[in-house]
Amino acid sequence: SLTVNQAQFLVGSVRKGEHGTKGCYADSFIPKEERDRAIETGDNPQPIGFQKRYTVCNVDQCDGLPEALYEPPEPLPPCETIPHAETLIQATGADIRLGGDRAYFVPSEDYIQLPPQPFFHDPVEYYSTCFHELGHNADIRIMPS
């Protein structure tokens, strides 16, 4: 996905009549005045949060972009398992479904949805997210093997 400005920067364009998807970027910054104030008073500088909305389009909605943008992405790296974590997860007996790009617990259907491990920056993030979702289910019990 890319914005109209990004497409133009790449000497391409979004086709007329195409509709994009809304996105939101959130971050914070510390203004120079606040940094100066914090130095003078010895306080911690207070950041100011902001959000910026933008619209993105898929490369398939564009013309004139470099061919490299149309190539399929590289395959995800293989999973790195942590045996003790896997053993604990298996012992819960929880229904864990891999796929998508969000992690959540569905109480009405009693399952956990997790993105595949390569979606995460490292195995620890994957496992901590899995254990967080397991914590939402008060009915989970460790079953003897």
PDB file of all heavy atoms in Angstrom, residues 13-29:
ATOM      1  N   SER A  13       0.887   6.866 -10.490  1.00  0.00           N
ATOM      2  CA  SER A  13      -0.352   7.546 -10.100  1.00  0.00           C
ATOM      3  C   SER A  13      -1.402   6.517  -9.720  1.00  0.00           C
ATOM      4  O   SER A  13      -1.354   5.363 -10.152  1.00  0.00           O
ATOM      5  CB  SER A  13      -0.869   8.405 -11.261  1.00  0.00           C
ATOM      6  OG  SER A  13      -1.183   7.580 -12.374  1.00  0.00           O
ATOM      7  N   VAL A  14      -2.344   6.957  -8.907  1.00  0.00           N
ATOM      8  CA  VAL A  14      -3.506   6.139  -8.562  1.00  0.00           C
ATOM      9  C   VAL A  14      -4.518   6.343  -9.674  1.00  0.00           C
ATOM     10  O   VAL A  14      -4.793   7.478 -10.085  1.00  0.00           O
ATOM     11  CB  VAL A  14      -4.089   6.553  -7.185  1.00  0.00           C
ATOM     12  CG1 VAL A  14      -5.343   5.754  -6.873  1.00  0.00           C
ATOM     13  CG2 VAL A  14      -3.038   6.376  -6.094  1.00  0.00           C
ATOM     14  N   ARG A  15      -5.071   5.252 -10.191  1.00  0.00           N
ATOM     15  CA  ARG A  15      -6.052   5.344 -11.277  1.00  0.00           C
ATOM     16  C   ARG A  15      -7.270   6.147 -10.854  1.00  0.00           C
ATOM     17  O   ARG A  15      -7.743   6.025  -9.729  1.00  0.00           O
ATOM     18  CB  ARG A  15      -6.511   3.946 -11.699  1.00  0.00           C
ATOM     19  CG  ARG A  15      -5.680   3.360 -12.784  1.00  0.00           C
ATOM     20  CD  ARG A  15      -6.251   2.041 -13.301  1.00  0.00           C
ATOM     21  NE  ARG A  15      -5.190   1.065 -13.178  1.00  0.00           N
ATOM     22  CZ  ARG A  15      -5.097   0.149 -12.234  1.00  0.00           C
ATOM     23  NH1 ARG A  15      -6.025   0.008 -11.348  1.00  0.00           N
ATOM     24  NH2 ARG A  15      -4.065  -0.662 -12.203  1.00  0.00           N
ATOM     25  N   LYS A  16      -7.781   6.939 -11.764  1.00  0.00           N
ATOM     26  CA  LYS A  16      -8.974   7.743 -11.522  1.00  0.00           C
ATOM     27  C   LYS A  16     -10.146   6.828 -11.168  1.00  0.00           C
ATOM     28  O   LYS A  16     -10.326   5.773 -11.775  1.00  0.00           O
ATOM     29  CB  LYS A  16      -9.303   8.567 -12.766  1.00  0.00           C
ATOM     30  CG  LYS A  16     -10.401   9.560 -12.551  1.00  0.00           C
ATOM     31  CD  LYS A  16     -10.571  10.475 -13.734  1.00  0.00           C
ATOM     32  CE  LYS A  16     -11.619  11.501 -13.380  1.00  0.00           C
ATOM     33  NZ  LYS A  16     -11.590  12.634 -14.257  1.00  0.00           N
ATOM     34  N   GLY A  17     -10.879   7.194 -10.135  1.00  0.00           N
ATOM     35  CA  GLY A  17     -12.041   6.426  -9.710  1.00  0.00           C
ATOM     36  C   GLY A  17     -11.745   5.387  -8.641  1.00  0.00           C
ATOM     37  O   GLY A  17     -12.669   4.813  -8.069  1.00  0.00           O
ATOM     38  N   GLU A  18     -10.468   5.133  -8.361  1.00  0.00           N
ATOM     39  CA  GLU A  18     -10.110   4.164  -7.319  1.00  0.00           C
ATOM     40  C   GLU A  18     -10.326   4.800  -5.945  1.00  0.00           C
ATOM     41  O   GLU A  18     -10.193   6.009  -5.781  1.00  0.00           O
ATOM     42  CB  GLU A  18      -8.650   3.723  -7.458  1.00  0.00           C
ATOM     43  CG  GLU A  18      -8.363   2.924  -8.705  1.00  0.00           C
ATOM     44  CD  GLU A  18      -8.871   1.493  -8.639  1.00  0.00           C
ATOM     45  OE1 GLU A  18      -9.398   1.078  -7.590  1.00  0.00           O
ATOM     46  OE2 GLU A  18      -8.746   0.789  -9.652  1.00  0.00           O
ATOM     47  N   HIS A  19     -10.673   3.980  -4.972  1.00  0.00           N
ATOM     48  CA  HIS A  19     -10.884   4.446  -3.598  1.00  0.00           C
ATOM     49  C   HIS A  19      -9.876   3.761  -2.687  1.00  0.00           C
ATOM     50  O   HIS A  19      -9.669   2.557  -2.791  1.00  0.00           O
ATOM     51  CB  HIS A  19     -12.304   4.132  -3.123  1.00  0.00           C
ATOM     52  CG  HIS A  19     -13.351   4.848  -3.927  1.00  0.00           C
ATOM     53  ND1 HIS A  19     -13.667   6.164  -3.718  1.00  0.00           N
ATOM     54  CD2 HIS A  19     -14.117   4.422  -4.956  1.00  0.00           C
ATOM     55  CE1 HIS A  19     -14.596   6.515  -4.572  1.00  0.00           C
ATOM     56  NE2 HIS A  19     -14.894   5.476  -5.347  1.00  0.00           N
ATOM     57  N   GLY A  20      -9.285   4.540  -1.805  1.00  0.00           N
ATOM     58  CA  GLY A  20      -8.288   4.006  -0.890  1.00  0.00           C
ATOM     59  C   GLY A  20      -8.888   3.599   0.440  1.00  0.00           C
ATOM     60  O   GLY A  20     -10.102   3.673   0.659  1.00  0.00           O
ATOM     61  N   THR A  21      -8.014   3.186   1.333  1.00  0.00           N
ATOM     62  CA  THR A  21      -8.374   2.774   2.682  1.00  0.00           C
ATOM     63  C   THR A  21      -7.788   3.781   3.660  1.00  0.00           C
ATOM     64  O   THR A  21      -6.639   4.192   3.504  1.00  0.00           O
ATOM     65  CB  THR A  21      -7.807   1.369   2.973  1.00  0.00           C
ATOM     66  OG1 THR A  21      -8.356   0.459   2.015  1.00  0.00           O
ATOM     67  CG2 THR A  21      -8.152   0.909   4.374  1.00  0.00           C
ATOM     68  N   LYS A  22      -8.568   4.152   4.666  1.00  0.00           N
ATOM     69  CA  LYS A  22      -8.094   5.121   5.657  1.00  0.00           C
ATOM     70  C   LYS A  22      -7.105   4.458   6.601  1.00  0.00           C
ATOM     71  O   LYS A  22      -7.266   3.313   6.995  1.00  0.00           O
ATOM     72  CB  LYS A  22      -9.260   5.691   6.475  1.00  0.00           C
ATOM     73  CG  LYS A  22     -10.273   6.462   5.655  1.00  0.00           C
ATOM     74  CD  LYS A  22      -9.701   7.759   5.172  1.00  0.00           C
ATOM     75  CE  LYS A  22     -10.760   8.527   4.389  1.00  0.00           C
ATOM     76  NZ  LYS A  22     -10.224   9.606   3.637  1.00  0.00           N
ATOM     77  N   GLY A  23      -6.095   5.210   6.962  1.00  0.00           N
ATOM     78  CA  GLY A  23      -5.105   4.758   7.926  1.00  0.00           C
ATOM     79  C   GLY A  23      -4.873   5.862   8.951  1.00  0.00           C
ATOM     80  O   GLY A  23      -5.285   7.001   8.756  1.00  0.00           O
ATOM     81  N   CYS A  24      -4.232   5.512  10.035  1.00  0.00           N
ATOM     82  CA  CYS A  24      -3.948   6.490  11.080  1.00  0.00           C
ATOM     83  C   CYS A  24      -2.552   6.226  11.620  1.00  0.00           C
ATOM     84  O   CYS A  24      -2.209   5.086  11.933  1.00  0.00           O
ATOM     85  CB  CYS A  24      -4.983   6.391  12.193  1.00  0.00           C
ATOM     86  SG  CYS A  24      -4.749   7.615  13.485  1.00  0.00           S
ATOM     87  N   TYR A  25      -1.765   7.290  11.720  1.00  0.00           N
ATOM     88  CA  TYR A  25      -0.418   7.214  12.272  1.00  0.00           C
ATOM     89  C   TYR A  25      -0.435   7.975  13.587  1.00  0.00           C
ATOM     90  O   TYR A  25      -0.893   9.119  13.639  1.00  0.00           O
ATOM     91  CB  TYR A  25       0.589   7.832  11.295  1.00  0.00           C
ATOM     92  CG  TYR A  25       1.976   7.959  11.856  1.00  0.00           C
ATOM     93  CD1 TYR A  25       2.790   6.848  12.013  1.00  0.00           C
ATOM     94  CD2 TYR A  25       2.475   9.197  12.253  1.00  0.00           C
ATOM     95  CE1 TYR A  25       4.068   6.964  12.533  1.00  0.00           C
ATOM     96  CE2 TYR A  25       3.754   9.318  12.768  1.00  0.00           C
ATOM     97  CZ  TYR A  25       4.545   8.205  12.905  1.00  0.00           C
ATOM     98  OH  TYR A  25       5.794   8.317  13.425  1.00  0.00           O
ATOM     99  N   ALA A  26       0.013   7.347  14.664  1.00  0.00           N
ATOM    100  CA  ALA A  26       0.055   7.993  15.973  1.00  0.00           C
ATOM    101  C   ALA A  26       1.479   7.989  16.492  1.00  0.00           C
ATOM    102  O   ALA A  26       2.199   6.998  16.346  1.00  0.00           O
ATOM    103  CB  ALA A  26      -0.871   7.272  16.946  1.00  0.00           C
ATOM    104  N   ASP A  27       1.879   9.093  17.082  1.00  0.00           N
ATOM    105  CA  ASP A  27       3.229   9.211  17.632  1.00  0.00           C
ATOM    106  C   ASP A  27       3.217  10.366  18.623  1.00  0.00           C
ATOM    107  O   ASP A  27       2.159  10.921  18.932  1.00  0.00           O
ATOM    108  CB  ASP A  27       4.233   9.461  16.512  1.00  0.00           C
ATOM    109  CG  ASP A  27       5.658   9.059  16.888  1.00  0.00           C
ATOM    110  OD1 ASP A  27       5.909   8.759  18.083  1.00  0.00           O
ATOM    111  OD2 ASP A  27       6.513   9.041  16.004  1.00  0.00           O
ATOM    112  N   SER A  28       4.379  10.727  19.100  1.00  0.00           N
ATOM    113  CA  SER A  28       4.505  11.882  19.984  1.00  0.00           C
ATOM    114  C   SER A  28       5.831  12.571  19.701  1.00  0.00           C
ATOM    115  O   SER A  28       6.724  11.987  19.082  1.00  0.00           O
ATOM    116  CB  SER A  28       4.424  11.462  21.453  1.00  0.00           C
ATOM    117  OG  SER A  28       5.507  10.635  21.781  1.00  0.00           O
ATOM    118  N   PHE A  29       5.910  13.812  20.137  1.00  0.00           N
ATOM    119  CA  PHE A  29       7.147  14.564  19.973  1.00  0.00           C
ATOM    120  C   PHE A  29       7.278  15.531  21.136  1.00  0.00           C
ATOM    121  O   PHE A  29       6.315  15.797  21.860  1.00  0.00           O
ATOM    122  CB  PHE A  29       7.176  15.311  18.635  1.00  0.00           C
ATOM    123  CG  PHE A  29       6.237  16.486  18.579  1.00  0.00           C
ATOM    124  CD1 PHE A  29       6.717  17.779  18.752  1.00  0.00           C
ATOM    125  CD2 PHE A  29       4.882  16.310  18.363  1.00  0.00           C
ATOM    126  CE1 PHE A  29       5.858  18.869  18.709  1.00  0.00           C
ATOM    127  CE2 PHE A  29       4.019  17.395  18.320  1.00  0.00           C
ATOM    128  CZ  PHE A  29       4.502  18.675  18.496  1.00  0.00           C
TER     129      PHE A  29
END
